[in-house]
Amino acid sequence: MELIIVSGRSGSGKSVALRVLEDLGYYCVDNIPVILLPSLVRSVSANYDKIAVSIDVRNLPKEQHEFNDILAYLPEFAKPSLFYLDSDEQTLIKRFSETRRLHPLSMQNMTLDVAIREEKQLLDVLISHADFIIDTTELSVHQLAEMIREKVLGKKDKQLLITFESFGFKHGIPKNADYVFDVRFLPNPHWEPELKALTGLDQPVQDYLASHSIVQKFTWQIQTFVQTWLPHLERNNRSYLTIAIGCTGGQHRSVYLAQTLGERFLDTYPNVKIRHREQEK
């Protein structure tokens, strides 16, 4: 039986994750008291082989070590995976302000910022058990839903899901990246008047970058690096790998390299995704 536990700070996207899992065929229970988790698994296992539960900070045991005991009481046929979602504090404050929701700890006469920090401390025990930690600070609802699907399906298929993601350093490094390559030293189409308004997906920009040997060499070196270590990552039971490639604005060079590398790996790896972060905004 597959058991997915979804947790994280309030406002980080747990409800979105649970809806995605329900669409993937999981029997979903929202905000179950953790102490009831072993009983729930046993009671529904006859009818369902995929269960997902969301755990709220209010439903944790009083003592953190009790969480370990509860996991130990799970039946042997249940294989739990824990997804922990989080965002930075300013993003969480903004989300609560926009939705006008009360924070779960607000009943304890805490201000919102204090409640958010306190919640993280209370959830420390879950972070230590997390199989997947997803930072949703810069993710839209649709991007988060897609990421959850990728990780669940990649894990289920037991095939490594490789994502090549372009980004602009001036907008920040992707927090979910496993490897980051900086291509700001490569020739910049931004300074060519006829190429400035285009992107790395446009043929004139691709031709311009492909004409430089330094671009070809660095692309080849990234490809060789990834190909060298992929077998070791697969043997380590990794289910996903995100390779982020950044230039200044995320429009030309990083887009070209991420697209080129992704297309090359598609020839031998079926689970390859190409994402251009700044182009999706």
Side-chain angles (χ1 to χ4, degrees):
M1 167 185 283
E2 295 180 36
L3 170 63
I4 293 181
I5 301 171
V6 179
S7 191
R9 286 197 283 184
S10 303
S12 60
K14 297 192 298 298
S15 298
V16 173
L18 209 62
R19 286 198 298 270
V20 172
L21 293 170
E22 188 172 24
D23 291 342
L24 292 175
Y26 284 78
Y27 177 85
C28 296
V29 181
D30 192 10
N31 288 340
I32 182 176
V34 182
I35 195 171
L36 298 179
L37 184 57
S39 299
L40 171 71
V41 171
R42 290 185 174 89
S43 64
V44 304
S45 60
N47 298 315
Y48 300 94
D49 60 359
K50 298 191 297 184
I51 302 174
V53 299
S54 172
I55 295 177
D56 189 280
V57 67
R58 295 166 294 186
N59 293 322
L60 290 173
K62 292 183 179 180
E63 299 295 333
Q64 291 195 352
H65 69 84
E66 294 179 20
F67 181 76
N68 299 327
D69 296 336
I70 292 169
L71 290 182
Y73 283 126
L74 286 171
E76 293 183 359
F77 58 78
K79 300 177 181 179
S81 296
L82 201 157
F83 283 63
Y84 186 90
L85 279 57
D86 202 3
S87 295
D88 64 42
E89 292 184 10
Q90 291 304 313
T91 299
L92 292 175
I93 291 173
K94 180 181 178 182
R95 289 174 182 172
F96 273 99
S97 299
E98 290 175 346
T99 60
R100 299 184 179 180
R101 292 173 50 211
L102 283 176
H103 191 278
L105 299 180
S106 295
M107 300 300 292
Q108 301 180 20
N109 295 322
M110 295 183 186
T111 60
L112 180 57
D113 57 335
V114 172
I116 288 172
R117 288 193 291 270
E118 177 68 16
E119 186 178 23
K120 185 171 186 178
Q121 294 181 359
L122 294 173
L123 292 172
D124 273 348
V125 65
L126 295 174
I127 298 175
S128 63
H129 284 85
D131 298 284
F132 301 98
I133 298 177
I134 301 176
D135 189 305
T136 68
T137 301
E138 299 176 351
L139 298 180
S140 68
V141 171
H142 301 294
Q143 290 169 339
L144 173 58
E146 184 177 6
M147 184 173 290
I148 294 292
R149 280 192 293 268
E150 288 175 357
K151 288 177 172 29
V152 172
L153 295 176
K155 181 176 184 296
K156 181 179 179 181
D157 295 340
K158 300 187 183 302
Q159 293 180 334
L160 184 65
L161 175 65
I162 309 170
T163 300
F164 289 92
E165 178 176 358
S166 68
F167 72 96
F169 274 96
K170 71 179 183 179
H171 302 295
I173 297 174
K175 296 183 179 180
N176 295 311
D178 297 293
Y179 295 99
V180 176
F181 292 95
D182 184 350
V183 299
R184 287 176 291 185
F185 66 93
L186 298 178
N188 191 354
H190 175 82
W191 303 115
E192 303 295 328
E194 69 276 13
L195 303 178
K196 182 177 180 180
L198 304 178
T199 76
L201 298 177
D202 294 312
Q203 193 63 47
V205 174
Q206 294 176 354
D207 293 341
Y208 171 84
L209 290 170
S211 68
H212 290 80
S213 60
I214 189 174
V215 176
Q216 295 181 19
K217 182 177 181 180
F218 195 54
T219 304
W220 176 82
Q221 287 182 333
I222 296 176
Q223 179 180 342
T224 301
F225 173 86
V226 176
Q227 287 175 331
T228 299
W229 297 110
L230 265 181
H232 300 275
L233 294 167
E234 290 178 311
R235 286 197 292 270
N236 197 40
N237 294 321
R238 287 290 297 267
S239 59
Y240 67 95
L241 176 70
T242 300
I243 300 161
I245 301 172
C247 60
T248 304
Q251 180 177 346
H252 298 110
R253 294 165 291 181
S254 62
V255 171
Y256 169 77
L257 265 76
Q259 188 70 30
T260 300
L261 288 164
E263 291 176 354
R264 290 181 183 179
F265 276 86
L266 271 171
D267 294 335
T268 51
Y269 285 86
N271 286 351
V272 172
K273 179 176 176 57
I274 303 170
R275 182 186 176 211
H276 303 299
R277 190 184 73 181
E278 315 309 347
Q279 308 303 311
E280 296 174 2
K281 293 181 177 179

